[in-house]
Amino acid sequence: MAITGVTRPGHIQLRVLDLNEAVRFYRDVLGLTETGRDSSGRVYFKAWDERDHNSVILRQADRAGMDFFGFKVLDEATLTKLEKDLNAYGVATQRIAAGDLLETGERVRFQIPTGHQIELYATKKFVGNGLGPVDPKSWSPESDRGIAPVRLDHALLYGPDVAGVLKLFTEVLGFNLTEYVTLPDSDEKGALWLSCSNKAHDIAFVVHPDPGKLHHVSFLLDSWDKVLRAADIMSVNDIKVDIGPTRHGITRGGTIYAWDPSGNRFETFMGGSAPYPDWPATRWTWEGLGEGGGLDVAHRK
């Protein structure tokens, strides 16, 4: 399929309580590659098979959580068009200058109805995955260090007004609703899985009274064997595990949920369904969540 408009998740900025401890975790345990540090003290990382300069940014703070989640768009013309579309829809936007994030072009930031800050950007320095652009090798030493995810895959966010988020993401940003959960004794959608590609999801939302909450950031692994290997690495490093290894019914992905040293929940994820945009969304009822593996929805921590 031709991917236009919003193309994929691009970056997340996380708040951590002890930057040095967090750097050791994301580099040595999760297995990301450090790619730079800026004058404000933020530390940048990428997964081994990502081509862009960074996808995870850490900053020291007095509370854990997410500052913003960014999506790559096709090109600068698309960025300008989507900004105009957001403004016409009634969403205020902020242009952030190129270079505010290392090796990243201008970004358009806006707040969504769940209280989260979302960004769009068109350019980021291409650094490759170290395997070469012609006749690439199939393995890199970076792919075997720590858990070694392939890429930043998605985030699941908590907040109010998921109905408003659904309209914004589908009507303005061009996402497709792939799966959803209805609230008890209701047709109201209380949880959404949204895709800008044909992945199971690129972002998900669960209704929650408090705005701007991060449930988890997810990193893709190649196989179920790699998820089990991740479990061993977590055990050896005394990483607190929340759930798993197990499999979701919703999205059909294999998973472990665990916490980084600051208390940010992360997921090691593999597989998942691959819905095309013309497929109708799958409905899950509240009563069917046991079968659906609806632990995403049940967790309100």
Side-chain angles (χ1 to χ4, degrees):
M1 57 178 287
I3 297 179
T4 61
V6 180
T7 63
R8 55 181 167 82
H11 58 238
I12 186 170
Q13 181 165 296
L14 295 171
R15 301 187 298 270
V16 296
L17 306 181
D18 183 321
L19 186 61
N20 290 332
E21 182 182 39
V23 167
R24 286 192 296 271
F25 170 78
Y26 281 89
R27 182 191 61 209
D28 301 335
V29 179
L30 190 55
L32 302 182
T33 299
E34 184 178 335
T35 57
R37 302 191 180 205
D38 66 21
S39 59
S40 68
R42 293 180 294 188
V43 185
Y44 295 72
F45 297 88
K46 67 180 285 293
W48 75 267
D49 202 28
E50 290 176 327
R51 274 62 167 177
D52 289 345
H53 179 271
N54 62 77
S55 61
V56 174
I57 306 109
L58 305 181
R59 77 169 179 94
Q60 179 83 39
D62 58 5
R63 64 186 180 95
M66 181 189 84
D67 285 329
F68 52 78
F69 193 79
F71 288 93
K72 174 76 166 56
V73 305
L74 185 63
D75 52 27
E76 294 292 342
T78 301
L79 184 65
T80 298
K81 179 182 184 302
L82 287 172
E83 183 178 26
K84 290 178 178 178
D85 291 345
L86 286 162
N87 295 158
Y89 192 76
V91 176
T93 56
Q94 175 190 4
R95 277 268 178 172
I96 301 172
D100 176 76
L101 287 181
L102 286 185
E103 307 295 354
T104 305
E106 278 192 307
R107 292 133 60 209
V108 172
R109 182 183 294 174
F110 52 98
Q111 182 168 300
I112 61 176
T114 49
H116 298 91
Q117 298 292 319
I118 298 295
E119 297 186 341
L120 306 176
Y121 68 95
T123 58
K124 186 172 287 194
K125 183 179 180 180
F126 184 92
V127 297
N129 63 0
L131 300 179
V134 179
D135 298 332
K137 307 297 183 184
S138 59
W139 179 86
S140 163
E142 296 293 325
S143 69
D144 212 28
R145 177 168 50 83
I147 294 169
V150 175
R151 67 174 183 235
L152 167 69
D153 192 76
H154 65 268
L156 190 152
L157 308 178
Y158 276 8
D161 195 7
V162 297
V165 164
L166 178 60
K167 287 176 62 67
L168 177 63
F169 272 74
T170 56
E171 295 180 11
V172 181
L173 299 178
F175 282 65
N176 300 300
L177 179 66
T178 60
E179 305 194 39
Y180 65 94
V181 177
T182 53
L183 296 177
D185 304 315
S186 169
D187 288 330
E188 181 183 352
K189 296 177 177 68
L192 315 170
W193 283 258
L194 295 156
S195 177
C196 59
S197 58
N198 74 325
K199 287 165 51 185
H201 55 321
D202 291 296
I203 196 165
F205 295 92
V206 174
V207 67
H208 191 282
D210 298 329
K213 293 177 69 68
L214 170 69
H215 182 275
H216 70 265
V217 56
S218 183
F219 298 93
L220 182 70
L221 300 179
D222 283 324
S223 67
W224 180 243
D225 287 343
K226 290 294 181 73
V227 173
L228 298 180
R229 176 177 174 273
D232 288 337
I233 292 171
M234 292 178 199
S235 177
V236 167
N237 288 277
D238 297 321
I239 302 304
K240 186 178 179 183
V241 172
D242 182 16
I243 298 168
T246 188
R247 183 183 181 187
H248 295 304
I250 298 170
T251 75
R252 301 206 305 252
T255 182
I256 302 172
Y257 288 152
W259 281 280
D260 76 6
S262 297
N264 292 309
R265 189 187 277 109
F266 71 96
E267 179 184 33
T268 52
F269 178 85
M270 61 74 56
S273 56
Y276 288 105
D278 62 322
W279 290 7
T282 299
R283 176 184 177 183
W284 295 88
T285 64
W286 192 263
E287 295 73 22
L289 280 182
E291 193 173 311
L295 295 166
D296 298 316
V297 178
H299 273 64
R300 300 289 175 141
K301 297 177 183 177

